[in-house]
Amino acid sequence: FEDDKYKVYLQIINFADVARSEQSGGDVEPAEVGYAEGKTIEEAIYKLYRSSDQEIFWGHMRYLILSERAMENERSIPVIDTFIRFRETRYHIWVYCTKDPINDLMLVTPILRNSLTASKLSNPISTTKQLSFVQPINLRELIIGLNEPNHEIAIPYVTMKKNWENDEELMEETTFSGIGILTKNGVKGFITDSLARGNQWMNEDTIRGEVTFKLVGDERDYLTVDLDKLNLEVKPIVKKNDQVEFEIDIKIQGTLNGFKGKITTDEVRKNIAQQIEKEVKETYQEGLKLDADVYRLSEYLYRSNVKVWKKIEHNGKIPLTEDSISKINVHVNKINPGRKTFDETIEE
């Protein structure tokens, strides 16, 4: 949204290229991106129809990217309404936000020049299986998040980075860099990079994550532990004068893949717990700076004790401070040693 107009970029791919990509293992033509602008998003889309050679079937729509300006001052609501009311679109459309130029994002070619149907934006589930740094959000989940307390939703924040290269050049690739906090009234801001790490430990849909820490002692290097099988419980505790605190219980399992020296499972458990607690607190504090309930604690109280919630809520959100999270308990149920050849280096 610029100059009081919606600016729409529409990415179109050739299905024949999809078939060739799967057969030849890459080397397909990049996408083509159309552009139009209008006083409403519908006017911009109708202008795109004028320049399209074929009918555009919206049932194939895979994802929607909102710029920061398009999320401000309720501007995202008519955009969302446009796609949920149109009979051809589906609710399983992935939603992202960005500060980068949208046309540049849509022209990024996937690694190995694979089909764009296999890109992380079209199919984010394939990447989150290995690392659930940011949880993908579809249009249905977005609507639910905005309609239910706290009427805020965290959307994956996408940027471009030159993390890959071939024998000719550095290549730009899209990456999930954090989250953007969207409300019905606009965007509250973004939490990016390491400051967003706590979000993965407060999401039951997290499949796999990692923590890296340094063990105390001589000749000790940094250690990275894979974490999975997360179980989360958030317990609202109502105090006097309807003051509410939250106790968080996180249960998780870890796997060691590469390390040197002798370490104990108790030592690893302690460091995992400390690191997860630190990351949960950091992301929560960043949310407070944006006046955002980043962990949807308001909804936990709403589900648990709606009478107290009604007394203290304002526009669906309850008052939160740094002390609202009174306790974070991290239980590491099991430490797997990885390959059996490493068994002897871990002491029980």
Coordinates of all heavy atoms in Angstrom, one line a residue, residues 59-64 83-84 89-96 121-125 136-141 143:
G59 N -8.2 -21.0 -7.4 CA -8.1 -22.2 -6.6 C -6.7 -22.8 -6.5 O -6.5 -23.6 -5.6
H60 N -5.8 -22.3 -7.4 CA -4.4 -22.8 -7.3 C -3.6 -21.9 -6.4 O -2.4 -22.1 -6.3 CB -3.8 -22.8 -8.7 CG -4.3 -24.0 -9.5 ND1 -4.4 -23.9 -10.9 CD2 -4.8 -25.2 -9.2 CE1 -4.9 -25.0 -11.4 NE2 -5.1 -25.8 -10.3
M61 N -4.2 -20.9 -5.8 CA -3.4 -19.9 -5.0 C -2.7 -20.6 -3.8 O -3.4 -21.2 -3.0 CB -4.3 -18.8 -4.6 CG -3.5 -17.7 -3.8 SD -4.6 -16.3 -3.5 CE -3.6 -15.3 -2.4
R62 N -1.4 -20.4 -3.7 CA -0.7 -21.2 -2.7 C -0.3 -20.3 -1.5 O -0.3 -20.8 -0.3 CB 0.6 -21.7 -3.2 CG 0.4 -22.7 -4.4 CD -0.3 -23.9 -3.9 NE 0.5 -24.8 -3.0 CZ 1.3 -25.7 -3.4 NH1 1.4 -26.0 -4.7 NH2 2.0 -26.4 -2.5
Y63 N 0.0 -19.0 -1.7 CA 0.4 -18.2 -0.5 C 0.1 -16.7 -0.8 O -0.1 -16.3 -2.0 CB 1.8 -18.4 -0.2 CG 2.9 -18.0 -1.2 CD1 3.3 -16.7 -1.4 CD2 3.4 -19.0 -2.1 CE1 4.3 -16.4 -2.3 CE2 4.3 -18.7 -3.0 CZ 4.8 -17.4 -3.1 OH 5.7 -17.0 -4.1
L64 N 0.1 -15.9 0.3 CA -0.2 -14.5 0.2 C 0.9 -13.8 1.1 O 1.1 -14.2 2.2 CB -1.6 -14.2 0.8 CG -2.0 -12.8 1.1 CD1 -2.1 -12.0 -0.2 CD2 -3.3 -12.8 1.9
F83 N -10.2 -12.6 -0.2 CA -9.8 -13.9 -0.6 C -10.7 -15.0 0.1 O -10.9 -16.0 -0.4 CB -8.4 -14.2 -0.3 CG -7.4 -13.5 -1.2 CD1 -6.7 -12.4 -0.8 CD2 -7.4 -13.8 -2.6 CE1 -5.8 -11.7 -1.6 CE2 -6.6 -13.1 -3.4 CZ -5.8 -12.1 -3.0
I84 N -11.3 -14.6 1.3 CA -12.1 -15.6 2.0 C -13.5 -15.6 1.4 O -14.3 -16.6 1.5 CB -12.2 -15.4 3.5 CG1 -12.8 -14.1 3.9 CG2 -10.8 -15.6 4.1 CD1 -13.0 -13.9 5.4
T89 N -11.2 -19.5 -4.0 CA -10.1 -19.6 -3.1 C -10.4 -20.6 -2.0 O -11.5 -20.8 -1.7 CB -9.7 -18.2 -2.5 OG1 -10.8 -17.7 -1.9 CG2 -9.2 -17.3 -3.6
R90 N -9.3 -21.1 -1.4 CA -9.4 -22.0 -0.3 C -8.8 -21.4 1.0 O -8.0 -20.5 0.9 CB -8.7 -23.3 -0.6 CG -9.2 -24.0 -1.9 CD -8.4 -25.2 -2.3 NE -8.9 -25.7 -3.6 CZ -8.3 -26.8 -4.2 NH1 -7.3 -27.4 -3.6 NH2 -8.8 -27.2 -5.3
Y91 N -9.2 -22.0 2.1 CA -8.7 -21.5 3.4 C -7.2 -21.9 3.7 O -6.6 -21.4 4.6 CB -9.6 -22.0 4.6 CG -10.9 -21.2 4.7 CD1 -12.1 -21.7 4.2 CD2 -10.9 -20.0 5.3 CE1 -13.2 -21.0 4.3 CE2 -12.1 -19.3 5.4 CZ -13.2 -19.8 4.9 OH -14.4 -19.1 5.0
H92 N -6.7 -22.9 2.9 CA -5.4 -23.4 3.2 C -4.4 -22.6 2.3 O -3.5 -23.2 1.7 CB -5.3 -24.9 2.9 CG -4.1 -25.5 3.6 ND1 -4.1 -25.8 5.0 CD2 -2.9 -25.9 3.2 CE1 -3.0 -26.3 5.3 NE2 -2.2 -26.4 4.3
I93 N -4.5 -21.3 2.4 CA -3.5 -20.4 1.7 C -2.5 -19.9 2.8 O -2.9 -19.4 3.8 CB -4.2 -19.2 1.0 CG1 -5.1 -19.7 -0.1 CG2 -3.2 -18.2 0.5 CD1 -6.0 -18.6 -0.6
W94 N -1.2 -20.1 2.6 CA -0.2 -19.7 3.5 C -0.1 -18.2 3.5 O -0.2 -17.6 2.5 CB 1.1 -20.4 3.2 CG 1.1 -21.8 3.2 CD1 1.2 -22.7 2.2 CD2 0.9 -22.7 4.4 NE1 1.1 -24.0 2.6 CE2 0.9 -24.0 3.9 CE3 0.7 -22.5 5.7 CZ2 0.8 -25.1 4.8 CZ3 0.5 -23.6 6.6 CH2 0.6 -24.9 6.1
V95 N 0.1 -17.6 4.7 CA 0.2 -16.1 4.8 C 1.5 -15.8 5.4 O 2.0 -16.3 6.4 CB -0.9 -15.6 5.7 CG1 -0.9 -14.1 5.7 CG2 -2.3 -16.1 5.2
Y96 N 2.2 -14.8 4.8 CA 3.5 -14.3 5.2 C 3.5 -12.8 5.3 O 2.6 -12.1 4.7 CB 4.6 -14.7 4.3 CG 4.7 -16.2 4.0 CD1 4.2 -16.8 2.8 CD2 5.2 -17.1 5.0 CE1 4.2 -18.1 2.6 CE2 5.2 -18.5 4.8 CZ 4.7 -19.0 3.6 OH 4.7 -20.3 3.3
L121 N 8.0 -21.1 0.4 CA 6.8 -20.3 0.5 C 5.5 -21.1 0.1 O 4.5 -21.0 0.7 CB 6.9 -19.0 -0.3 CG 8.0 -18.1 0.1 CD1 8.0 -16.8 -0.7 CD2 7.9 -17.8 1.6
S122 N 5.7 -21.9 -0.9 CA 4.5 -22.7 -1.4 C 4.3 -23.9 -0.5 O 3.1 -24.3 -0.4 CB 4.8 -23.2 -2.9 OG 4.8 -22.1 -3.8
N123 N 5.4 -24.5 0.0 CA 5.2 -25.7 0.9 C 6.1 -25.6 2.1 O 7.2 -26.2 2.2 CB 5.6 -26.9 0.0 CG 5.4 -28.2 0.8 OD1 4.6 -28.2 1.8 ND2 6.0 -29.3 0.3
P124 N 5.7 -24.7 3.1 CA 6.6 -24.5 4.3 C 6.7 -25.7 5.2 O 7.6 -25.8 6.0 CB 5.9 -23.3 5.0 CG 4.5 -23.4 4.6 CD 4.5 -23.9 3.2
I125 N 5.8 -26.6 5.1 CA 5.8 -27.8 6.0 C 7.0 -28.6 5.8 O 7.6 -29.2 6.8 CB 4.5 -28.7 5.8 CG1 3.2 -27.8 6.1 CG2 4.6 -29.9 6.7 CD1 3.2 -27.4 7.6
P136 N 4.3 -22.1 10.3 CA 3.5 -21.6 9.2 C 2.0 -21.3 9.6 O 1.5 -22.0 10.5 CB 3.5 -22.7 8.2 CG 4.7 -23.5 8.6 CD 4.8 -23.4 10.0
I137 N 1.4 -20.3 9.0 CA 0.1 -19.9 9.4 C -0.7 -19.8 8.0 O -0.3 -19.2 7.1 CB 0.0 -18.5 10.0 CG1 0.7 -18.5 11.4 CG2 -1.4 -18.0 10.2 CD1 0.0 -19.4 12.4
N138 N -1.9 -20.5 8.0 CA -2.7 -20.4 6.8 C -3.9 -19.4 7.1 O -4.0 -18.9 8.2 CB -3.2 -21.8 6.4 CG -4.1 -22.5 7.4 OD1 -4.8 -21.9 8.1 ND2 -3.9 -23.8 7.5
L139 N -4.6 -19.2 6.0 CA -5.7 -18.2 6.1 C -6.7 -18.5 7.2 O -7.2 -17.6 7.9 CB -6.3 -18.0 4.7 CG -7.1 -16.8 4.4 CD1 -6.2 -15.5 4.6 CD2 -7.6 -16.8 3.0
R140 N -7.0 -19.8 7.3 CA -8.0 -20.2 8.3 C -7.5 -19.9 9.7 O -8.2 -19.3 10.5 CB -8.3 -21.7 8.2 CG -9.1 -22.3 9.3 CD -9.3 -23.8 9.1 NE -9.9 -24.4 10.3 CZ -9.2 -24.8 11.4 NH1 -7.9 -24.6 11.4 NH2 -9.8 -25.3 12.4
E141 N -6.2 -20.2 10.0 CA -5.7 -20.0 11.3 C -5.5 -18.5 11.6 O -5.7 -18.0 12.7 CB -4.3 -20.7 11.4 CG -4.4 -22.2 11.4 CD -3.1 -22.9 11.1 OE1 -2.2 -22.2 10.4 OE2 -2.9 -24.0 11.5
I143 N -7.6 -16.1 10.5 CA -8.9 -15.6 10.8 C -9.3 -16.0 12.3 O -9.8 -15.2 13.0 CB -10.0 -16.2 9.8 CG1 -9.7 -15.6 8.4 CG2 -11.4 -15.8 10.2 CD1 -10.4 -16.4 7.3

